[in-house]
Each structure stands twice: as structure tokens, then as C-alpha cells.
Amino acid sequence: MTQPAPASPVYWRFNPEVFRLIGIKCNDCGHISYPRTKICHECGSLNLEEYKLAKKGTVHTYCVNWAPPPNFEPPITPVIVDLESGGRYQGLMTETATPEDVKVNSKVEMVLRKLTTDRGLNVYGYKFRLVEED
Amino acid sequence: MAGSIKDRVAIIGMGCTRFGELWDKGPTDLVVDSVEEAYTDAGIEAKDIEALWGGSIFTAHGGRFFTEALRMQYIPATHVVNACASGQDAIRNAAYAVAAGIYDIVLAIGVEKIKDEGMSGLPGMDNRTHTHAVATMPGVFAIMATKYFHRYGLTPEEGKTMLAKISVKSHANGSLNPKAHLRNVLTIERVLNAPIIAWPLGLFDCCGVSDGGAAAILTSAERAKEFRKDPVYIKALQICGTPSSGRITTDYDYTHVEESYRAGAAAYREAGVTDPLKEISMAEVHDCFSITEAVTMEDLQFSPRGKVKDDIDAGTFELNGELPVQPDGGLKCFGHPIGASGIRMVYELYLQLQGRADKRQIKDPKLGLAHNLGHEPYAPLCSVCIVGL
Ligand SMILES: [Zn+2]
């Protein structure tokens, strides 16, 4: 699968979703989806509104990938994060001393980082870092 | 549902190439070699085929690829693209055309010349805009293993040992199969000590990367015995598409695949199976990774939820067990030339049902199940095919 170039229209269309964390909330049943859907997953309604997601959440699951996609340096730690606002985000960990610091149920928060360099252009997006728990 | 495919269509001939890094074979070779074996097996000639359906993701571009390779003379040809279920969906479309009474003899074929694609593993298909960087195929299945271990209280060592036994079993079967790509016998220690690909999955938790082709010739149940005394009948053909719930909702648990469960349940209804563990004699399931096979045993109702480890430890799925799984060696030993895999699975069930599986022969099988899982576990397309005598 060819990756779209970083300056291509697909990135522009994804901007609200990727950088402003806009998901959708169903006005009929309250279901929250991220990434956005055109039709409510739960009830089939088209009556949806934009819904801004929280930047904090909990690690649902993860792996430590030593053979990552092109343009990523191994190892990467992909995480599936259930956000406090509802919605689920697939992203990468950052600022961990070792990948073993990440656990199921770890509390994490999003920070804007350079994700990779692709065809000479920087690609930015959110990564997750561990939140100190007291 | 208005109808059922059960016992309306029969397989009268099949062929399958050796799978492997077939540097000296091109896509046309894989098509012709598998189809010629199927013609011979069925006792028919190319001119008897009235229509064909061909499954492939990378290698074919339109039905023309298949008619050109086979020098088919102006017959209808359709290219089926449906992820890892492409091969089974080719069989499904071909079977439906026969059941509808449109054709008498049709060809379903699957092929993939992966080694011409310059890949050392299948790419993630979900990487648009880099935000889903989790998505290498080992990565998206590794996150299932992490969650499965956590949910059911397995330490990483216990979980990885459970998975290692799956790969050891499949290689034991594959070692008996001259058409398998990987025929080495593994030990649990070797699996556990292999390099990590995407923790918790190591090298031997991942299937091979191989070229291959497989083909099936189908006719109506009424005509089947004109061609052979032991045709294999189609009992169920189900495909379950996904609303992609695992990607967008927090309900999905990453420890099961809903689409596998639903495709299986629908196939059992169609085939009239009420106790899968007792009634299914053998299964070829989509073991792209060891964790996939583990979870699939639960999704297909062979093991209770969270309990597959007990059945693995008991040897239930070994060649001499209660329900042999991957008797031919599975994706683990055949690799995953995507379009070919689903038909390769049915080829093994077909040989077993006819008593032609040589050293791998299962005693007196009645029903065999083949299962494919396409895309990622949180948003897959799954197929289940049941065949029997
Ligand atoms: Zn709704």
C-alpha cells in the first residue's frame, strides 16, 4: 500500500481529525466514534455532531514492534488508547525509558511530536507519554 | 434467509502447487500448474470449463490475467478481490453460479506471486496518514496477544508458551507435507528463543511469506458422480463483513474477532452443525499469527472463551487429537500467498475427505472447515467454508 505523500490532499482532509482530535457524537443515541464516521455505528443515524476528544486516556493494549512500517526506527510501541472523553485512538508511545514501562491500563496523555520523515517532509502527529500517577 | 448452498454443489477436482520461494516460477506457472492438476483430478479438459472466478490481491488485475494464463477461449472470467478471503470468495461465487443453474462446470482459482512484490512480509493496509502506525500485520495481531494474556491472567511466559505450542503443532504437520514451504520440525524452546518481531510475537509466531496457487473445479450435486465416485460437497459458504467497530468504539475487547464468530455461526446454521467440536472433523483456519489461531479456536466455538490454553495443552488440535487443526501445516508452513490460501485450505480438506492425505491422513473425517480472516482483527472480513462427503 503506497503511503500518500505528506503534502497531499488526504492529509489536509484529515487535519481536523488528526490535529484537533475531532470525532463525532450521535445526537440520537450519544455514541462517540473516533475516527469520525458518516453514519452512527450504533444506531445508523446521520444526525451527528463534531465532538472534541480528550487528550488523556488509558492504554487498552499495546505491542513492541521491532519491524515497524517504513520510515520508523525500531522499536516502536504502538498503543490502543481509550480516551477519557470516549473514543479510541491508535498511536505510538514516546518518552519511555524502555518499552517495558508501558502496561495495559497505563495512564497516558497526548503530546504533539514529529512522527516520521517521508520523502523529505516532516510528518507531525500525536504520540502518548506516561502520566505520573500519585 | 431464503436459501442454503448445502449439498447443491460439489468439488470434482482440485490442484495445488508446492508453496514456497518459487524464484523460478512466474504467476502464469502457478495458475497453469494448479489448474492442470485440477483438470487431471476431475478428468476434464480446459474446454469443459464454462466460467471462472480468480482470487488474487497483488498478482492479478482483472479476470483477463486468468484467461490469458490458461488460454481460455472467450469464457466469462471474474477477478475476486476480497482480502485474505479472496480464494474462498472465488469458490463462493463459482458455487453460487452453479447453484443458480447458470453453468454446469466452473473453475475457482487463487494465486499470489508474493516474491515478485519485493516484500519480506505483508504490509499493513491501514497506514493512511501515518496516524495508524501500529499497522504492520505482526503489530496489529501482537496487540491482541498482549490483551489476551492480560484479560485471562496469563503471564507473558505462560502466554508465549501457549502460542509456541500452536506453531510446534503446525510445523509437525507441515513436515509431513511435500507441498508445504516450511517443513522443519520446531521445539517450544526454539520458538520461545526466536527473535522478537512485534512483542509478544516472535519469528515463529508469524506465518511464512510464500508464492503459491490452488484451484477447484465445481459442478452441480446432480452431475458430480459422473466425474468421480468421491466428490466433496459444499455444506456452507459464509462471509462476514465488518462495520469496523473495533477501530472506533471502546466496546471491542481485542480478545476475540466478532466477524469470525459470526461467519462460523452462520456456516454452522447453513450446514446444520449444532456441536462444532464434536461434528467438525478437522479445520484449516487463518493462522497468519499464532495468536490468531488461538483466538479463532474460541471464535469458532471449538474452545470456550478464555479456555483455548486447556485444549492446546490437552493436544486437542494436534493431528491425532479430537479436532485436528492445520493438518497440512497451515499458513504457518504454507505462508500466505493471499489469493491462494483459502483454496489451499479446501484442497487439504478435500484430500483428507477422500482419504488421500498420505502421512497426514485423519481417520474417517466427515466434515472439514476452512476459515479466513482478512485485514486487521479489529476490522476484518472473515469467511468460513464447510465441506463434507
Ligand atoms: Zn447513534
Side-chain angles (χ1 to χ4, degrees), chain A residues 26 29 40 43 45:
Chain A
C26 176
C29 79
C40 175
C43 77
S45 173

Side-chain angles (χ1 to χ4, degrees), chain B residues 31-311:
Chain B
V31 171
V32 172
D33 292 356
S34 54
V35 173
E36 286 293 331
E37 183 189 339
Y39 289 159
T40 304
D41 185 46
I44 67 164
E45 298 173 36
K47 65 173 173 49
D48 298 321
I49 301 292
E50 295 168 85
L52 76 78
W53 284 260
S56 160
I57 297 296
F58 300 110
T59 298
H61 300 280
R64 181 184 72 172
F65 165 77
F66 298 98
T67 51
E68 192 168 65
L70 291 163
R71 300 292 134 194
M72 286 287 195
Q73 301 295 315
Y74 313 107
I75 66 163
T78 302
H79 177 198
V80 180
V81 182
N82 210 356
C84 304
S86 297
Q88 277 198 29
D89 211 356
I91 290 180
R92 177 168 161 271
N93 277 275
Y96 284 1
V98 170
I102 309 297
Y103 306 111
D104 278 338
I105 304 178
V106 298
L107 174 66
I109 176 167
V111 69
E112 218 74 64
K113 180 61 198 173
I114 298 280
K115 290 290 171 183
D116 278 1
E117 300 296 324
M119 297 183 295
S120 55
L122 296 180
M125 299 202 176
D126 199 18
N127 277 349
R128 310 293 287 182
T129 76
H130 296 289
T131 56
H132 294 143
V134 59
T136 66
M137 282 299 167
V140 298
F141 286 92
I143 58 180
M144 279 196 105
T146 308
K147 192 67 187 187
Y148 189 96
F149 298 172
H150 182 267
R151 176 170 181 182
Y152 295 115
L154 303 174
T155 65
E157 291 69 31
E158 289 168 341
K160 280 179 66 64
T161 302
M162 171 184 88
L163 297 180
K165 290 178 182 177
I166 291 173
S167 300
V168 168
K169 172 265 299 162
S170 293
H171 273 251
N173 298 351
S175 74
L176 304 174
N177 193 337
K179 289 191 172 179
H181 177 181
L182 304 170
R183 302 191 59 197
N184 54 322
V185 174
L186 292 179
T187 61
I188 289 173
E189 293 67 35
R190 181 138 185 243
V191 177
L192 292 177
N193 293 325
I196 294 295
I197 302 297
W199 187 93
L201 302 181
L203 180 65
F204 293 115
D205 291 299
C206 308
C207 76
V209 179
S210 320
D211 303 325
I217 294 163
L218 281 62
T219 191
S220 63
E222 291 75 32
R223 290 198 58 188
K225 293 218 164 154
E226 292 173 28
F227 299 92
R228 65 185 316 132
K229 65 177 188 334
D230 54 359
V232 166
Y233 296 90
I234 292 174
K235 307 291 183 181
L237 286 168
Q238 291 292 335
I239 287 190
C240 181
T242 182
S244 199
S245 45
R247 193 203 305 274
I248 61 165
T249 77
T250 48
D251 300 339
Y252 177 57
D253 59 13
Y254 275 92
T255 58
H256 86 293
V257 176
E258 183 69 18
E259 292 76 1
S260 288
Y261 169 76
R262 290 187 186 230
Y268 295 145
R269 274 196 302 278
E270 188 169 32
V273 169
T274 54
D275 185 345
L277 180 62
K278 291 277 177 299
E279 293 175 62
I280 300 293
S281 316
M282 58 192 162
E284 287 281 338
V285 304
H286 198 85
D287 57 328
C288 49
F289 301 95
S290 53
I291 182 65
T292 326
E293 180 173 324
V295 166
T296 300
M297 295 301 98
E298 298 181 7
D299 289 331
L300 294 178
Q301 305 176 48
F302 298 150
S303 299
R305 289 277 174 221
K307 300 285 188 195
V308 69
K309 181 172 179 295
D310 296 348
D311 290 325

Side-chain angles (χ1 to χ4, degrees), chain A residues 1-4 10-11 14 18 31-35 37 41-42 60-69 71-72 76 78 80 82 86-92 104-105 115-116 118 123, chain B residues 57-58 123-136 138-140 142-148 150 196-200 243-254 378:
Chain A
M1 302 296 110
T2 310
Q3 200 79 38
V10 61
Y11 275 83
F14 270 88
V18 171
H31 188 77
I32 293 164
S33 287
Y34 183 86
T37 63
H41 175 77
E42 201 62 29
H60 179 83
T61 186
Y62 69 98
C63 72
V64 184
N65 197 337
W66 287 86
N71 303 321
F72 288 86
I76 60 172
I80 307 294
D82 289 343
R88 180 169 271 179
Y89 197 98
Q90 298 183 8
L92 296 175
V104 172
N105 293 334
L115 296 180
T116 187
D118 187 358
V123 178
Chain B
I57 297 296
F58 300 110
M125 299 202 176
D126 199 18
N127 277 349
R128 310 293 287 182
T129 76
H130 296 289
T131 56
H132 294 143
V134 59
T136 66
V140 298
I143 58 180
M144 279 196 105
T146 308
K147 192 67 187 187
Y148 189 96
H150 182 267
I196 294 295
I197 302 297
W199 187 93
S244 199
S245 45
R247 193 203 305 274
I248 61 165
T249 77
T250 48
D251 300 339
Y252 177 57
D253 59 13
Y254 275 92
Y378 48 80

Side-chain angles (χ1 to χ4, degrees), chain B residues 11-16 34 37-38 41-42 91 215-217 343 346-347 350:
Chain B
I11 306 174
I12 52 166
M14 290 199 77
C16 183
S34 54
E37 183 189 339
D41 185 46
I91 290 180
I217 294 163
I343 302 180
V346 175
Y347 178 74
Y350 174 85

